[in-house]
């Protein structure tokens, strides 16, 4: 395992939280099969301050020609890449990418190397904590898996979404992600008695990236 670095882990959470605040603190709550948005924030294309911020995310991911006005281009992976880079995570530990499957395949392939900061964990086995990434498939895409395990080759080209865990309160988990309901949103999910993520129709969980710092 890597040497503990709680300051860097907190930097990730703080950076994501500041972006959520910049976008107006939009909140999404998942309870059972129901989804609600008790507070609506600013959206990616509301004005150029927000679309320009999305452009900053895209530049980190190597796509400088996109911004928030390109509403058909999902920018959640670019957001995660921007948070990681700005908090001081080196690229060899988390490669910036325009799509989640790109960095997921790399992290899964290299998870056995010594000193890896982010390692995949099976959803049924692991209770996520602040600093982790929780990942789900998106749309009709479902990465191939066996008994809750998947592989890098099964993820190639898959439509996926990951959020950064920012808080854990009893049997609920708060996460922040980009391009969630057209904004940087904080979402709340339910945990079971063992602290594992409960199934959600709009978030078919398939892997958690544990932050071992």
């Amino acid at each position: 395992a890597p040497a503990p670095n709680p300051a860097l882990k907190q930097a990730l959470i703080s950076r994501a939280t500041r972006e959520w605040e910049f976008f107006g603190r939009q909140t999404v709550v998942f309870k059972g099969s129901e989804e609600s948005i008790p507070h609506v924030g600013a959206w990616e294309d509301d004005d150029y301050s927000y679309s320009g911020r999305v452009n900053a995310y895209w530049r980190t991911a190597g796509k400088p020609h996109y911004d928030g006005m390109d509403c058909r281009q999902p920018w959640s992976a670019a957001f995660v890449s921007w948070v990681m880079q700005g908090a001081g995570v080196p690229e060899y530990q988390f490669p910036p990418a325009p799509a989640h499957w790109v960095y997921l395949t790399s992290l899964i392939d290299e998870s056995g190397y010594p000193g890896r900061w982010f390692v995949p964990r099976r959803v049924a086995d692991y209770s996520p904590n602040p600093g982790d990434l929780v990942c789900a498939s998106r749309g009709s895409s479902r990465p191939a898996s066996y008994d809750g395990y998947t592989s890098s080759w099964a993820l190639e080209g898959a439509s996926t979404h990951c959020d950064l865990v920012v808080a854990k309160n009893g049997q609920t988990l708060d996460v922040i992600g980009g391009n969630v309901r057209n904004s940087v949103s904080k979402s709340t999910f339910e945990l079971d008695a063992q602290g594992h993520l409960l199934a959600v129709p709009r978030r078919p969980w398939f892997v958690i990236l544990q932050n071992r710092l």
Side-chain angles (χ1 to χ4, degrees):
N5 191 339
L8 195 147
K9 183 182 289 188
Q10 184 56 49
L12 288 172
I13 295 168
S14 297
R15 188 167 172 83
T17 301
R18 286 195 299 270
E19 289 305 287
W20 171 64
E21 292 169 346
F22 174 79
F23 271 85
R25 296 172 172 260
Q26 180 159 289
T27 56
V28 184
V29 177
F30 292 85
K31 192 171 182 63
S33 60
E34 299 296 321
E35 177 185 353
S36 63
I37 307 178
H39 180 74
V40 177
W43 288 10
E44 59 196 350
D45 57 349
D46 274 355
D47 63 43
Y48 284 101
S49 63
Y50 301 113
S51 66
R53 194 66 143 233
V54 175
N55 174 255
Y57 308 153
W58 277 121
R59 291 200 304 270
T60 301
K63 301 285 185 179
H65 52 289
Y66 288 143
D67 62 21
M69 298 299 176
D70 297 294
C71 299
R72 293 184 178 274
Q73 298 294 331
W75 45 273
S76 55
F79 170 76
V80 171
S81 299
W82 182 88
V83 169
M84 293 287 176
Q85 185 177 84
V89 178
E91 291 189 9
Y92 75 89
Q93 288 285 358
F94 192 99
H100 296 283
W101 71 265
V102 177
Y103 67 73
L104 284 171
T105 55
S106 175
L107 295 177
I108 288 173
D109 278 343
E110 297 175 2
S111 61
Y113 294 0
R116 299 307 299 173
W117 293 7
F118 298 93
V119 295
R121 300 297 299 270
R122 197 169 71 142
V123 175
D125 294 337
Y126 177 73
S127 179
N129 293 295
D132 295 346
L133 288 174
V134 291
C135 302
S137 55
R138 190 175 63 211
S140 59
S141 171
R142 296 290 187 274
S145 63
Y146 176 76
D147 194 27
Y149 295 96
T150 191
S151 61
S152 58
W153 63 264
L155 288 171
E156 291 187 14
S159 295
T160 56
H161 176 85
C162 298
D163 294 298
L164 179 73
V165 180
V166 296
K168 188 176 186 178
N169 304 294
Q171 286 183 247
T172 61
L173 194 73
D174 290 340
V175 306
I176 290 177
N179 198 36
V180 177
R181 294 300 188 184
N182 306 98
S183 187
V184 173
S185 301
K186 178 185 286 187
S187 302
T188 299
F189 295 98
E190 294 179 298
L191 303 171
D192 65 17
Q194 288 73 46
H196 301 147
L197 280 165
L198 290 175
V200 178
R202 291 185 62 85
R203 287 288 195 279
W205 309 112
F206 69 89
V207 72
I208 299 168
L209 287 178
Q210 180 189 4
N211 184 335
R212 300 200 296 170
L213 290 175

